[in-house]
Every structure is written in C-alpha cells, then in structure tokens.
Amino acid sequence: MVFRISAKEAARYPGLRARLGAAPAPKAKPTKARASTTAYVEWDQAREVAGARHWVLDLPDTELINANDRGHWTRRQRLTASIREAATVLAREERVPRLTRARVVYVVKPKARTRVFDPSNWALSAKAAVDGLQDAGVFEDDNAAVVTGVDPRAGKRQDGANIRMSLVIIDQGKDGA
C-alpha cells in the first residue's frame, strides 16, 4: 500500500513519509496566466434596454451581501434591511409607477482594482432591493408573473470603498417591450 502525502504535510511532520513508506507528492501543475486584465464584458445598457421604458436606481455606497460571505445571520439581516429600505426610498424619489410586468437588471460595479468577479454573487442584495421595490408599490408582488427576471450584469469599475450596485427596471407591460 502506497500513501501520498502533500508537501505541506511532509513539511509539518518531518519523517512522516519515511515512516509510512509514502511516495513523494506529485508536482503541482503550472498555473495558466490570465489572458487579459479586463476579464469580463461590461454591460451595454443601450443595447439591452433598446428603447423600452425604464428607470435606473443607483443604490448608495453601502455594503452589499455577497453569497460567498459566510457572515453572521444578524449582520446579513441588517444589510438586507438597509438595502431594502434604500431601494424603497429611491423608487419613491424617482416616482417609478406601478408596473404589471417588468424585468430587473442589477448592475454590479466592482472596485477599480478588481480583475475577475462574478456578478451573480450579489443576488442576495438584488433580492433585497426587489423586495424594496415591492414595498414602494412598484410591483404588486415579486413573483415570476410580475417580475420576469432579475438578471446580473457586470458594470464599469469605479473608485470607492465598496462594490456598488444599480438597478435597471425595464417595463414589459402592455406599453413596454
């Protein structure tokens, strides 16, 4: 029987390989260099909205909820409440009317030094914002018959302490696309 022990384990426990009769750890494969510093395509709002009636709400520079963050539930609850309230206030300020059918695109704008990121990681923040739009009376309900999609997009890099998010509400009702 042959054991394989990583180089890290061998360094931590000197003589372990010899005692177990383990084979040397396989050599690490060389990593591929990234093709470009612009690893994602920025969203082209004009092309996707294409003349449909729409509203753009820029959420304030606040901390967002990342799906990869395993923070405490009370912190997530506090962030959810602040995002929801911000979306409610912005929708009322912009006087977004009640919509029968709409699509929401959330545009995540990373920090200037971010090379690669996944905009769908901020879906929890977008869900809180859509709930805020419902609180503001934009939607009667945020079910699939009313909100046809909540889609992530990568936005332009920007300076600031936090990753920022904008909501683009695209009317798909009788008069919409």
Side-chain angles (χ1 to χ4, degrees), residues 126-177:
K127 172 62 177 150
V130 169
D131 288 343
L133 295 175
Q134 182 183 347
D135 293 345
V138 175
F139 309 122
E140 181 179 333
D141 190 12
D142 61 349
N143 62 34
V146 178
V147 179
T148 61
V150 180
D151 305 320
R153 297 290 183 268
K156 221 175 195 181
R157 292 181 176 99
Q158 44 85 50
D159 292 326
N162 296 310
I163 290 177
R164 300 201 55 171
M165 181 184 289
S166 294
L167 299 173
V168 181
I169 306 160
I170 304 168
D171 186 10
Q172 294 185 322
K174 295 175 187 172
D175 300 326

Side-chain angles (χ1 to χ4, degrees), residues 38-49:
T38 307
Y40 65 91
V41 178
E42 292 175 3
W43 185 52
D44 183 9
Q45 179 178 340
R47 194 179 88 191
E48 195 161 341
V49 171

Side-chain angles (χ1 to χ4, degrees), residues 45-67:
Q45 179 178 340
R47 194 179 88 191
E48 195 161 341
V49 171
R53 192 167 75 142
H54 68 282
W55 297 264
V56 179
L57 306 177
D58 292 320
L59 293 177
D61 189 11
T62 185
E63 190 175 358
L64 299 173
I65 307 164
N66 186 330

